[in-house]
Amino acid sequence: MEDSNHTVVSEFIFKGLCASKELQIFLLLPFSILYLMVVVGNLFVVILIIIDHHLHSPMYFLLANLSFIDFCLSSVTTPKLITDLLKENKTISFGGCMSQIVCVHLFAGGEMVLLVTMAYDRCVAICRPLHYTSIMGRQKCIWLVVISWIVGFVHAISQVLLILDLPFCGPRVIDSFFCDIPLVMKLACVNTDTLGILINAESGILGTICFILLLVSYTYILLTVQHHSKDGSSKALSTCTSHIIVVLLFFGPIIFIYLWPVNITWVDKFLSVFYSVITPLLNPAIYTLRNKDIKNALKKLINHK
């Protein structure tokens, strides 16, 4: 037996999405199809942007990175969710649980910063079009993406380090389909109220800063275009609609899951599914369906074949 100060729980058990075996079997095919669409959709966007030289611009470079992060974010939890639908005992090792937490916060934190970078790119393109190529150079774009990954990594490591040494010596059932920090902390053998505040503060600061920067960027874009055009508001809205929808899809579930004062289990599960499956599926669809350059590249690819 390990020391009382160390973890003695070697694995956790997920309750999964629901208790009904019939419903779990029913959900197997829809979730498998949705995840396949996430993989194909996002990787297709990445490959299309790489192979078509007309899409070798800062905006599409950032979009390719967003699609890759969405693919990674969905792949952290969804495959296990699907395979667990067939299992009676939905277990995950302690190491696997910590790895899930690291990966979820790495990709989610990175996507937050990347969405800010994409807003900055649109801000420069619309508000300072004559200086766009000099401001958004290739090297700067690469550094902006690298920074988003660094911020995501620091955020993930800081989160997991705070809970890694918690003693887990009794309960090990997590009422979800993946390891989420608030649910894992509930299983610790010590009071985690102070730690919970610290973790929420760290996540909240990153999320709030990113959300404010996004709000300022898109407000500035809308005001700038409105000022320079008679029908500016509609044009500005049309230009930024895709970006704004993606931002809302990303931040909406996060706000409800982590900042909503009342925790309702089925709502949290639904929003977690939305966050890990639906949002990564909708992002490439939103950009592809509304973007002429990507549609033209797709047509060229089809005609070439």
Side-chain angles (χ1 to χ4, degrees):
M1 183 64 69
E2 292 181 43
D3 220 300
S4 60
N5 290 328
H6 292 81
T7 304
V8 295
V9 171
S10 60
E11 64 179 17
F12 296 104
I13 300 169
F14 293 139
K15 278 192 177 180
L17 284 177
C18 57
S20 170
K21 188 68 179 174
E22 292 76 17
L23 184 56
Q24 289 183 57
I25 296 297
F26 173 77
L27 291 172
L28 181 64
L29 183 60
F31 275 113
S32 299
I33 293 170
L34 286 171
Y35 179 62
L36 182 63
M37 291 170 69
V38 168
V39 173
V40 173
N42 283 290
L43 292 184
F44 178 75
V45 169
V46 173
I47 293 166
L48 186 65
I49 290 170
I50 290 171
I51 64 175
D52 194 311
H53 69 277
H54 293 104
L55 300 178
H56 290 181
S57 67
M59 184 177 81
Y60 296 111
F61 174 69
L62 298 173
L63 176 56
N65 278 277
L66 178 69
S67 290
F68 180 70
I69 288 181
D70 276 333
F71 158 71
C72 293
L73 185 58
S74 183
S75 297
V76 174
T77 57
T78 312
K80 176 142 183 69
L81 163 64
I82 293 167
T83 55
D84 279 351
L85 290 171
L86 295 169
K87 296 178 182 177
E88 191 71 38
N89 295 317
K90 304 168 177 51
T91 60
I92 186 169
S93 68
F94 181 83
C97 185
M98 294 301 114
S99 299
Q100 259 196 355
I101 289 171
V102 168
C103 291
V104 166
H105 285 269
L106 165 65
F107 299 128
E111 183 159 340
M112 279 188 200
V113 181
L114 188 61
L115 288 171
V116 174
T117 302
M118 293 176 76
Y120 171 70
D121 171 72
R122 290 301 82 207
C123 197
V124 174
I126 294 168
C127 303
R128 300 190 66 188
L130 298 177
H131 301 92
Y132 179 69
T133 51
S134 60
I135 294 172
M136 294 299 292
R138 180 184 177 87
Q139 193 171 11
K140 186 173 185 178
C141 287
I142 293 170
W143 269 111
L144 287 170
V145 170
V146 169
I147 288 168
S148 72
W149 282 98
I150 291 171
V151 171
F153 178 77
V154 172
H155 168 63
I157 295 301
S158 65
Q159 292 277 295
V160 80
L161 285 178
L162 289 170
I163 65 166
L164 198 58
D165 287 331
L166 284 177
F168 297 96
C169 49
R172 57 196 184 113
V173 178
I174 299 172
D175 194 3
S176 184
F177 60 90
F178 74 105
C179 285
D180 197 13
I181 286 180
L183 297 176
V184 173
M185 283 199 306
K186 285 181 181 178
L187 305 180
C189 302
V190 293
N191 186 290
T192 58
D193 291 345
T194 306
L195 186 62
I197 292 169
L198 189 63
I199 287 173
N200 284 337
E202 196 273 339
S203 293
I205 289 168
L206 176 63
T208 303
I209 290 171
C210 289
F211 192 72
I212 289 171
L213 289 173
L214 287 164
L215 202 62
V216 169
S217 298
Y218 289 119
T219 301
Y220 184 63
I221 290 170
L222 290 169
L223 292 174
T224 301
V225 179
Q226 188 178 31
H227 180 70
H228 287 91
S229 173
K230 291 179 182 179
D231 58 339
S233 57
S234 60
K235 284 186 176 180
L237 195 60
S238 175
T239 304
C240 299
T241 297
S242 298
H243 291 259
I244 293 168
I245 290 172
V246 168
V247 167
L248 292 175
L249 285 172
F250 183 80
F251 279 92
I254 290 177
I255 291 168
F256 271 90
I257 292 170
Y258 292 102
L259 300 181
W260 202 250
V262 180
N263 288 326
I264 305 170
T265 303
W266 73 266
V267 174
D268 286 349
K269 287 183 182 181
F270 170 78
L271 290 172
S272 295
V273 168
F274 190 89
Y275 181 79
S276 57
V277 183
I278 307 301
T279 301
L281 175 64
L282 290 177
N283 282 359
I286 290 166
Y287 281 112
T288 304
L289 294 174
R290 295 186 58 86
N291 190 288
K292 287 181 181 179
D293 291 335
I294 288 185
K295 284 193 276 190
N296 289 336
L298 184 57
K299 285 177 186 176
K300 279 169 55 182
L301 188 65
I302 294 169
N303 293 332
H304 181 71
K305 288 184 176 181

